[in-house]
Amino acid sequence: MNMNAGTIKFGTDYGKKFQTVAVSRYANSDITWEKAYKSNLAWEIALFNSLSVELDMFKDHRTNILMSRGDIPSTMGLRTTVRANIGEPQIRN
């Protein structure tokens, strides 16, 4: 909570000022760690003590990346972004 978000004036001549309070971050108990799925395949061969070949293949896929939600309508009245584990990288071939 931001306890000094600004001031607001009240009264017939607007002579009374009060400090306002604003939400700076919303709680989300469902936030978890990011998940990573990794695989590594290696192949190595040596021929006649002079020729050697090595091949490595690596794959990494991540899910549950912490990101700000972009699809919340402004009519909800939220003053800051809501974060959740919704991110996943786009795979391009």
Side-chain angles (χ1 to χ4, degrees):
M1 299 296 291
N2 181 359
M3 301 304 283
N4 295 314
T7 58
I8 191 166
K9 297 178 184 180
F10 282 103
T12 56
D13 61 351
Y14 299 106
K16 297 187 184 218
K17 292 182 182 178
F18 295 98
Q19 290 288 347
T20 59
V21 177
V23 175
S24 57
R25 184 174 41 180
Y26 295 106
N28 186 348
S29 60
D30 294 330
I31 290 177
T32 62
W33 290 99
E34 178 179 315
K35 295 178 184 174
Y37 304 94
K38 299 180 182 213
S39 43
N40 190 7
L41 180 64
W43 182 69
E44 184 177 333
I45 188 169
L47 299 171
F48 311 116
N49 290 332
S50 61
L51 176 66
S52 94
V53 177
E54 296 179 18
L55 176 67
D56 286 314
M57 292 188 305
F58 181 76
K59 183 179 179 183
D60 184 12
H61 181 71
R62 297 180 181 272
T63 60
N64 289 354
I65 299 171
L66 185 63
M67 294 179 66
S68 296
R69 288 190 176 270
D71 58 350
I72 297 176
S74 61
T75 55
M76 284 188 68
L78 301 177
R79 296 186 54 106
T80 186
T81 59
V82 177
R83 297 175 61 86
N85 293 98
I86 55 173
E88 189 167 339
Q90 297 293 324
I91 298 174
R92 297 183 183 172
N93 293 330

